[in-house]
Amino acid sequence: DKAAMWQAAISLLCMLLWDDDERRLQKRLDGLLAEPVFNDAVGAELPWPYAVAPANMPGLRDVCDPDQDSQEGEHAFLLTANSALELQCRAAGFGKRGLELSLFNPGSSSLTVELPAGSLFVAHGARSRTQPLITQEALTVQLAPGEQRILAIDVYCGDSHGSVPRCDMTLSQYVLEREHLGSQHSVWRWSAGFQPTSGSAALPAGEDFQTLEESFGMSRAEARSLLDELDAVARRSDAARQQEVLDVRSQLRAARQRKEAARSRGSSGGSSSGGGGGFGGGRSSGGGAGVSW
């Protein structure tokens, strides 16, 4: 009868809406569980050194964002991506002159290279937890055609529990905002909320007391007190991320249950109205994303 058909139609509509809700929640869960990555200037996908994807880290600016100012077009990352600049980076630790840059202009025109304060470099090919490096000051370099410049610049450590890098580094497209720069304290207070809570290096940067004293004027006692504070922040942040995963999983279960209930009501409505050809008749070929958890 008409009432049963209307009930089946409403059930079908609800099922479609809840199917959208399920896909949205599944996508969110997949994002939370995925290992964070980023792409270098030539498009290769590389591991990101934090527990949170860069797009979800407040305080980071993406120089590839189309809404950025036009002067970002001279950023070293974009110039390298466009083959206008050849860039090599090598870490010799952190602090004063901790990062060496080799800049080469392969073109036939002069080139202006910009590297803002807060530019973030990631250890290339690291097999263990290694700190990223973040530039302390803005850098502007003018290169004549065919000219190469080699510069040593001052950098902050971007992970208090990562090992000190003495390796090749990869420039990322991300820049830490000015409000988080100014001292090693402020950089670590920003990074603590995104650092992993496992896999700490045997000799982490936070215990390189000589560099902390010589480059940042931080005493051993001050460094130890700061590390205790950072560890507490990292644990709270990790607990919040784990709770978010549990909450999304719970919401996903509820969405699937609602959809199954709507499917059952639709099937019952279709049967009572005389067969599988009406609203809600037959089986749905849909379903969840199929990820077990």
mmCIF file of all heavy atoms in Angstrom, residues 236-280:
data_model
loop_
_atom_site.group_PDB
_atom_site.id
_atom_site.type_symbol
_atom_site.label_atom_id
_atom_site.label_comp_id
_atom_site.label_asym_id
_atom_site.label_seq_id
_atom_site.Cartn_x
_atom_site.Cartn_y
_atom_site.Cartn_z
ATOM 1 N N ARG A 236 50.189 14.501 26.305
ATOM 2 C CA ARG A 236 48.795 14.960 26.248
ATOM 3 C C ARG A 236 48.297 14.998 24.802
ATOM 4 O O ARG A 236 47.164 14.596 24.514
ATOM 5 C CB ARG A 236 48.660 16.336 26.894
ATOM 6 C CG ARG A 236 48.803 16.340 28.403
ATOM 7 C CD ARG A 236 48.281 17.646 28.998
ATOM 8 N NE ARG A 236 48.999 18.807 28.488
ATOM 9 C CZ ARG A 236 50.095 19.320 29.061
ATOM 10 N NH1 ARG A 236 50.596 18.757 30.150
ATOM 11 N NH2 ARG A 236 50.674 20.393 28.558
ATOM 12 N N SER A 237 49.124 15.477 23.913
ATOM 13 C CA SER A 237 48.730 15.583 22.511
ATOM 14 C C SER A 237 48.523 14.204 21.905
ATOM 15 O O SER A 237 47.574 13.982 21.140
ATOM 16 C CB SER A 237 49.784 16.358 21.721
ATOM 17 O OG SER A 237 49.920 17.665 22.222
ATOM 18 N N ASP A 238 49.413 13.266 22.241
ATOM 19 C CA ASP A 238 49.270 11.908 21.727
ATOM 20 C C ASP A 238 47.996 11.259 22.261
ATOM 21 O O ASP A 238 47.272 10.574 21.515
ATOM 22 C CB ASP A 238 50.488 11.065 22.120
ATOM 23 C CG ASP A 238 50.419 9.655 21.572
ATOM 24 O OD1 ASP A 238 50.505 9.487 20.337
ATOM 25 O OD2 ASP A 238 50.254 8.715 22.364
ATOM 26 N N ALA A 239 47.693 11.473 23.543
ATOM 27 C CA ALA A 239 46.467 10.923 24.120
ATOM 28 C C ALA A 239 45.232 11.500 23.429
ATOM 29 O O ALA A 239 44.255 10.786 23.173
ATOM 30 C CB ALA A 239 46.423 11.202 25.622
ATOM 31 N N ALA A 240 45.275 12.793 23.106
ATOM 32 C CA ALA A 240 44.148 13.424 22.405
ATOM 33 C C ALA A 240 43.971 12.833 21.013
ATOM 34 O O ALA A 240 42.839 12.614 20.557
ATOM 35 C CB ALA A 240 44.364 14.929 22.326
ATOM 36 N N ARG A 241 45.082 12.559 20.312
ATOM 37 C CA ARG A 241 44.982 11.945 18.980
ATOM 38 C C ARG A 241 44.412 10.540 19.069
ATOM 39 O O ARG A 241 43.573 10.140 18.246
ATOM 40 C CB ARG A 241 46.358 11.923 18.310
ATOM 41 C CG ARG A 241 46.853 13.297 17.866
ATOM 42 C CD ARG A 241 48.059 13.188 16.952
ATOM 43 N NE ARG A 241 49.233 12.677 17.646
ATOM 44 C CZ ARG A 241 50.129 13.435 18.263
ATOM 45 N NH1 ARG A 241 49.981 14.748 18.300
ATOM 46 N NH2 ARG A 241 51.181 12.898 18.852
ATOM 47 N N GLN A 242 44.854 9.774 20.065
ATOM 48 C CA GLN A 242 44.325 8.422 20.228
ATOM 49 C C GLN A 242 42.834 8.453 20.560
ATOM 50 O O GLN A 242 42.059 7.624 20.071
ATOM 51 C CB GLN A 242 45.090 7.694 21.340
ATOM 52 C CG GLN A 242 46.567 7.466 21.026
ATOM 53 C CD GLN A 242 46.790 6.664 19.761
ATOM 54 O OE1 GLN A 242 46.059 5.731 19.462
ATOM 55 N NE2 GLN A 242 47.797 7.054 18.993
ATOM 56 N N GLN A 243 42.424 9.414 21.378
ATOM 57 C CA GLN A 243 41.009 9.529 21.722
ATOM 58 C C GLN A 243 40.190 9.910 20.498
ATOM 59 O O GLN A 243 39.062 9.435 20.315
ATOM 60 C CB GLN A 243 40.821 10.570 22.828
ATOM 61 C CG GLN A 243 39.387 10.678 23.340
ATOM 62 C CD GLN A 243 38.888 9.371 23.923
ATOM 63 O OE1 GLN A 243 39.541 8.782 24.797
ATOM 64 N NE2 GLN A 243 37.733 8.894 23.454
ATOM 65 N N GLU A 244 40.746 10.765 19.638
ATOM 66 C CA GLU A 244 40.040 11.142 18.414
ATOM 67 C C GLU A 244 39.811 9.921 17.530
ATOM 68 O O GLU A 244 38.728 9.761 16.941
ATOM 69 C CB GLU A 244 40.826 12.205 17.656
ATOM 70 C CG GLU A 244 40.101 12.716 16.422
ATOM 71 C CD GLU A 244 40.869 13.793 15.683
ATOM 72 O OE1 GLU A 244 42.032 14.065 16.046
ATOM 73 O OE2 GLU A 244 40.305 14.362 14.718
ATOM 74 N N VAL A 245 40.801 9.042 17.446
ATOM 75 C CA VAL A 245 40.637 7.813 16.662
ATOM 76 C C VAL A 245 39.510 6.968 17.244
ATOM 77 O O VAL A 245 38.647 6.458 16.506
ATOM 78 C CB VAL A 245 41.962 7.014 16.634
ATOM 79 C CG1 VAL A 245 41.732 5.616 16.057
ATOM 80 C CG2 VAL A 245 43.012 7.749 15.821
ATOM 81 N N LEU A 246 39.486 6.808 18.564
ATOM 82 C CA LEU A 246 38.423 6.021 19.211
ATOM 83 C C LEU A 246 37.053 6.641 18.957
ATOM 84 O O LEU A 246 36.076 5.929 18.689
ATOM 85 C CB LEU A 246 38.693 5.916 20.711
ATOM 86 C CG LEU A 246 39.932 5.113 21.130
ATOM 87 C CD1 LEU A 246 40.121 5.197 22.644
ATOM 88 C CD2 LEU A 246 39.816 3.659 20.695
ATOM 89 N N ASP A 247 36.978 7.971 19.034
ATOM 90 C CA ASP A 247 35.698 8.650 18.825
ATOM 91 C C ASP A 247 35.205 8.454 17.390
ATOM 92 O O ASP A 247 34.013 8.194 17.170
ATOM 93 C CB ASP A 247 35.839 10.147 19.120
ATOM 94 C CG ASP A 247 36.049 10.425 20.601
ATOM 95 O OD1 ASP A 247 35.792 9.528 21.417
ATOM 96 O OD2 ASP A 247 36.483 11.548 20.929
ATOM 97 N N VAL A 248 36.094 8.579 16.418
ATOM 98 C CA VAL A 248 35.687 8.422 15.016
ATOM 99 C C VAL A 248 35.278 6.978 14.747
ATOM 100 O O VAL A 248 34.309 6.725 14.026
ATOM 101 C CB VAL A 248 36.820 8.868 14.070
ATOM 102 C CG1 VAL A 248 36.462 8.561 12.615
ATOM 103 C CG2 VAL A 248 37.093 10.349 14.236
ATOM 104 N N ARG A 249 35.984 6.028 15.323
ATOM 105 C CA ARG A 249 35.593 4.625 15.159
ATOM 106 C C ARG A 249 34.199 4.377 15.728
ATOM 107 O O ARG A 249 33.382 3.662 15.133
ATOM 108 C CB ARG A 249 36.610 3.707 15.842
ATOM 109 C CG ARG A 249 37.885 3.529 15.039
ATOM 110 C CD ARG A 249 38.921 2.738 15.791
ATOM 111 N NE ARG A 249 39.997 2.302 14.909
ATOM 112 C CZ ARG A 249 41.167 1.848 15.330
ATOM 113 N NH1 ARG A 249 41.428 1.798 16.633
ATOM 114 N NH2 ARG A 249 42.085 1.456 14.472
ATOM 115 N N SER A 250 33.920 4.964 16.886
ATOM 116 C CA SER A 250 32.597 4.814 17.491
ATOM 117 C C SER A 250 31.513 5.431 16.605
ATOM 118 O O SER A 250 30.447 4.845 16.392
ATOM 119 C CB SER A 250 32.592 5.471 18.879
ATOM 120 O OG SER A 250 31.317 5.404 19.472
ATOM 121 N N GLN A 251 31.794 6.617 16.067
ATOM 122 C CA GLN A 251 30.832 7.264 15.168
ATOM 123 C C GLN A 251 30.629 6.442 13.896
ATOM 124 O O GLN A 251 29.513 6.364 13.367
ATOM 125 C CB GLN A 251 31.328 8.662 14.822
ATOM 126 C CG GLN A 251 31.380 9.621 15.993
ATOM 127 C CD GLN A 251 32.107 10.906 15.649
ATOM 128 O OE1 GLN A 251 32.069 11.370 14.504
ATOM 129 N NE2 GLN A 251 32.794 11.488 16.626
ATOM 130 N N LEU A 252 31.689 5.821 13.415
ATOM 131 C CA LEU A 252 31.594 5.007 12.202
ATOM 132 C C LEU A 252 30.738 3.767 12.453
ATOM 133 O O LEU A 252 29.896 3.393 11.616
ATOM 134 C CB LEU A 252 33.002 4.615 11.745
ATOM 135 C CG LEU A 252 33.125 3.850 10.427
ATOM 136 C CD1 LEU A 252 32.481 4.616 9.284
ATOM 137 C CD2 LEU A 252 34.594 3.566 10.122
ATOM 138 N N ARG A 253 30.911 3.126 13.606
ATOM 139 C CA ARG A 253 30.064 1.970 13.948
ATOM 140 C C ARG A 253 28.600 2.375 14.005
ATOM 141 O O ARG A 253 27.721 1.665 13.500
ATOM 142 C CB ARG A 253 30.505 1.368 15.289
ATOM 143 C CG ARG A 253 31.742 0.506 15.208
ATOM 144 C CD ARG A 253 31.916 -0.311 16.477
ATOM 145 N NE ARG A 253 32.170 0.547 17.630
ATOM 146 C CZ ARG A 253 33.372 0.904 18.036
ATOM 147 N NH1 ARG A 253 34.445 0.487 17.387
ATOM 148 N NH2 ARG A 253 33.524 1.666 19.094
ATOM 149 N N ALA A 254 28.336 3.523 14.639
ATOM 150 C CA ALA A 254 26.952 3.977 14.756
ATOM 151 C C ALA A 254 26.364 4.275 13.380
ATOM 152 O O ALA A 254 25.198 3.958 13.101
ATOM 153 C CB ALA A 254 26.890 5.218 15.649
ATOM 154 N N ALA A 255 27.151 4.877 12.490
ATOM 155 C CA ALA A 255 26.665 5.180 11.136
ATOM 156 C C ALA A 255 26.345 3.909 10.384
ATOM 157 O O ALA A 255 25.323 3.828 9.662
ATOM 158 C CB ALA A 255 27.708 6.000 10.387
ATOM 159 N N ARG A 256 27.164 2.885 10.523
ATOM 160 C CA ARG A 256 26.913 1.613 9.849
ATOM 161 C C ARG A 256 25.659 0.933 10.406
ATOM 162 O O ARG A 256 24.876 0.334 9.660
ATOM 163 C CB ARG A 256 28.130 0.706 9.994
ATOM 164 C CG ARG A 256 29.302 1.152 9.129
ATOM 165 C CD ARG A 256 30.555 0.364 9.400
ATOM 166 N NE ARG A 256 31.608 0.713 8.450
ATOM 167 C CZ ARG A 256 32.879 0.368 8.579
ATOM 168 N NH1 ARG A 256 33.257 -0.329 9.644
ATOM 169 N NH2 ARG A 256 33.766 0.721 7.668
ATOM 170 N N GLN A 257 25.484 1.033 11.713
ATOM 171 C CA GLN A 257 24.294 0.435 12.318
ATOM 172 C C GLN A 257 23.030 1.131 11.848
ATOM 173 O O GLN A 257 22.016 0.477 11.554
ATOM 174 C CB GLN A 257 24.411 0.486 13.846
ATOM 175 C CG GLN A 257 25.474 -0.452 14.407
ATOM 176 C CD GLN A 257 25.787 -0.182 15.867
ATOM 177 O OE1 GLN A 257 25.241 0.748 16.473
ATOM 178 N NE2 GLN A 257 26.643 -1.002 16.449
ATOM 179 N N ARG A 258 23.062 2.453 11.754
ATOM 180 C CA ARG A 258 21.894 3.186 11.263
ATOM 181 C C ARG A 258 21.583 2.819 9.818
ATOM 182 O O ARG A 258 20.420 2.665 9.437
ATOM 183 C CB ARG A 258 22.132 4.698 11.389
ATOM 184 C CG ARG A 258 22.134 5.230 12.803
ATOM 185 C CD ARG A 258 22.063 6.749 12.816
ATOM 186 N NE ARG A 258 23.222 7.370 12.180
ATOM 187 C CZ ARG A 258 24.325 7.725 12.831
ATOM 188 N NH1 ARG A 258 24.424 7.511 14.133
ATOM 189 N NH2 ARG A 258 25.327 8.311 12.191
ATOM 190 N N LYS A 259 22.623 2.667 9.022
ATOM 191 C CA LYS A 259 22.405 2.330 7.611
ATOM 192 C C LYS A 259 21.811 0.931 7.476
ATOM 193 O O LYS A 259 20.895 0.703 6.670
ATOM 194 C CB LYS A 259 23.724 2.416 6.846
ATOM 195 C CG LYS A 259 23.550 2.291 5.337
ATOM 196 C CD LYS A 259 24.855 2.403 4.598
ATOM 197 C CE LYS A 259 25.702 1.165 4.790
ATOM 198 N NZ LYS A 259 26.897 1.185 3.908
ATOM 199 N N GLU A 260 22.301 -0.012 8.273
ATOM 200 C CA GLU A 260 21.763 -1.372 8.216
ATOM 201 C C GLU A 260 20.306 -1.410 8.678
ATOM 202 O O GLU A 260 19.477 -2.146 8.120
ATOM 203 C CB GLU A 260 22.615 -2.303 9.069
ATOM 204 C CG GLU A 260 23.979 -2.618 8.475
ATOM 205 C CD GLU A 260 23.872 -3.221 7.082
ATOM 206 O OE1 GLU A 260 23.014 -4.104 6.876
ATOM 207 O OE2 GLU A 260 24.633 -2.797 6.198
ATOM 208 N N ALA A 261 20.006 -0.590 9.696
ATOM 209 C CA ALA A 261 18.613 -0.530 10.168
ATOM 210 C C ALA A 261 17.714 0.036 9.079
ATOM 211 O O ALA A 261 16.596 -0.448 8.844
ATOM 212 C CB ALA A 261 18.528 0.318 11.434
ATOM 213 N N ALA A 262 18.186 1.068 8.364
ATOM 214 C CA ALA A 262 17.398 1.639 7.271
ATOM 215 C C ALA A 262 17.229 0.636 6.143
ATOM 216 O O ALA A 262 16.154 0.535 5.540
ATOM 217 C CB ALA A 262 18.072 2.907 6.758
ATOM 218 N N ARG A 263 18.285 -0.135 5.857
ATOM 219 C CA ARG A 263 18.186 -1.143 4.807
ATOM 220 C C ARG A 263 17.148 -2.206 5.183
ATOM 221 O O ARG A 263 16.358 -2.638 4.342
ATOM 222 C CB ARG A 263 19.543 -1.794 4.573
ATOM 223 C CG ARG A 263 19.501 -2.889 3.507
ATOM 224 C CD ARG A 263 20.836 -3.575 3.331
ATOM 225 N NE ARG A 263 21.779 -2.727 2.632
ATOM 226 C CZ ARG A 263 22.923 -2.283 3.139
ATOM 227 N NH1 ARG A 263 23.226 -2.599 4.385
ATOM 228 N NH2 ARG A 263 23.729 -1.542 2.429
ATOM 229 N N SER A 264 17.166 -2.607 6.452
ATOM 230 C CA SER A 264 16.196 -3.618 6.900
ATOM 231 C C SER A 264 14.768 -3.108 6.808
ATOM 232 O O SER A 264 13.864 -3.807 6.351
ATOM 233 C CB SER A 264 16.504 -4.027 8.351
ATOM 234 O OG SER A 264 17.770 -4.627 8.433
ATOM 235 N N ARG A 265 14.543 -1.843 7.217
ATOM 236 C CA ARG A 265 13.204 -1.279 7.126
ATOM 237 C C ARG A 265 12.764 -1.156 5.670
ATOM 238 O O ARG A 265 11.616 -1.406 5.324
ATOM 239 C CB ARG A 265 13.163 0.091 7.809
ATOM 240 C CG ARG A 265 13.239 0.027 9.325
ATOM 241 C CD ARG A 265 12.848 1.360 9.933
ATOM 242 N NE ARG A 265 13.758 2.429 9.543
ATOM 243 C CZ ARG A 265 14.865 2.744 10.207
ATOM 244 N NH1 ARG A 265 15.210 2.052 11.287
ATOM 245 N NH2 ARG A 265 15.631 3.735 9.801
ATOM 246 N N GLY A 266 13.707 -0.757 4.796
ATOM 247 C CA GLY A 266 13.375 -0.633 3.387
ATOM 248 C C GLY A 266 13.016 -1.965 2.775
ATOM 249 O O GLY A 266 12.074 -2.068 1.989
ATOM 250 N N SER A 267 13.777 -3.015 3.129
ATOM 251 C CA SER A 267 13.473 -4.345 2.604
ATOM 252 C C SER A 267 12.131 -4.833 3.099
ATOM 253 O O SER A 267 11.332 -5.401 2.354
ATOM 254 C CB SER A 267 14.579 -5.322 3.021
ATOM 255 O OG SER A 267 15.815 -4.936 2.461
ATOM 256 N N SER A 268 11.827 -4.582 4.384
ATOM 257 C CA SER A 268 10.539 -4.996 4.933
ATOM 258 C C SER A 268 9.401 -4.260 4.252
ATOM 259 O O SER A 268 8.374 -4.831 3.905
ATOM 260 C CB SER A 268 10.497 -4.740 6.440
ATOM 261 O OG SER A 268 11.504 -5.484 7.086
ATOM 262 N N GLY A 269 9.606 -2.949 4.021
ATOM 263 C CA GLY A 269 8.583 -2.160 3.352
ATOM 264 C C GLY A 269 8.344 -2.653 1.939
ATOM 265 O O GLY A 269 7.222 -2.759 1.463
ATOM 266 N N GLY A 270 9.459 -2.993 1.233
ATOM 267 C CA GLY A 270 9.309 -3.469 -0.133
ATOM 268 C C GLY A 270 8.593 -4.783 -0.187
ATOM 269 O O GLY A 270 7.766 -5.025 -1.062
ATOM 270 N N SER A 271 8.867 -5.694 0.764
ATOM 271 C CA SER A 271 8.208 -7.000 0.773
ATOM 272 C C SER A 271 6.725 -6.855 1.046
ATOM 273 O O SER A 271 5.885 -7.493 0.416
ATOM 274 C CB SER A 271 8.857 -7.886 1.843
ATOM 275 O OG SER A 271 10.220 -8.101 1.540
ATOM 276 N N SER A 272 6.370 -5.973 1.996
ATOM 277 C CA SER A 272 4.962 -5.837 2.344
ATOM 278 C C SER A 272 4.177 -5.168 1.241
ATOM 279 O O SER A 272 2.958 -5.281 1.180
ATOM 280 C CB SER A 272 4.819 -5.018 3.645
ATOM 281 O OG SER A 272 5.298 -3.703 3.433
ATOM 282 N N SER A 273 4.896 -4.448 0.316
ATOM 283 C CA SER A 273 4.169 -3.788 -0.756
ATOM 284 C C SER A 273 4.094 -4.653 -1.996
ATOM 285 O O SER A 273 3.658 -4.218 -3.036
ATOM 286 C CB SER A 273 4.831 -2.456 -1.113
ATOM 287 O OG SER A 273 6.148 -2.684 -1.593
ATOM 288 N N GLY A 274 4.595 -5.903 -1.879
ATOM 289 C CA GLY A 274 4.321 -6.843 -2.944
ATOM 290 C C GLY A 274 5.487 -7.175 -3.837
ATOM 291 O O GLY A 274 5.273 -7.446 -5.007
ATOM 292 N N GLY A 275 6.712 -7.198 -3.339
ATOM 293 C CA GLY A 275 7.782 -7.702 -4.174
ATOM 294 C C GLY A 275 9.014 -6.832 -4.125
ATOM 295 O O GLY A 275 9.054 -5.828 -3.451
ATOM 296 N N GLY A 276 10.002 -7.261 -4.910
ATOM 297 C CA GLY A 276 11.286 -6.580 -4.879
ATOM 298 C C GLY A 276 11.380 -5.470 -5.898
ATOM 299 O O GLY A 276 12.422 -4.871 -6.046
ATOM 300 N N GLY A 277 10.306 -5.185 -6.652
ATOM 301 C CA GLY A 277 10.420 -4.164 -7.686
ATOM 302 C C GLY A 277 10.131 -2.781 -7.193
ATOM 303 O O GLY A 277 10.339 -1.825 -7.918
ATOM 304 N N GLY A 278 9.579 -2.627 -5.970
ATOM 305 C CA GLY A 278 9.231 -1.310 -5.443
ATOM 306 C C GLY A 278 10.398 -0.692 -4.727
ATOM 307 O O GLY A 278 11.532 -1.111 -4.821
ATOM 308 N N PHE A 279 10.074 0.356 -3.982
ATOM 309 C CA PHE A 279 11.097 1.038 -3.200
ATOM 310 C C PHE A 279 11.697 0.081 -2.186
ATOM 311 O O PHE A 279 10.972 -0.614 -1.473
ATOM 312 C CB PHE A 279 10.495 2.232 -2.441
ATOM 313 C CG PHE A 279 10.042 3.355 -3.332
ATOM 314 C CD1 PHE A 279 8.699 3.630 -3.509
ATOM 315 C CD2 PHE A 279 10.971 4.132 -3.985
ATOM 316 C CE1 PHE A 279 8.303 4.661 -4.309
ATOM 317 C CE2 PHE A 279 10.579 5.181 -4.787
ATOM 318 C CZ PHE A 279 9.229 5.442 -4.961
ATOM 319 N N GLY A 280 12.998 0.058 -2.100
ATOM 320 C CA GLY A 280 13.665 -0.697 -1.041
ATOM 321 C C GLY A 280 13.737 -2.170 -1.304
ATOM 322 O O GLY A 280 14.233 -2.911 -0.476
#
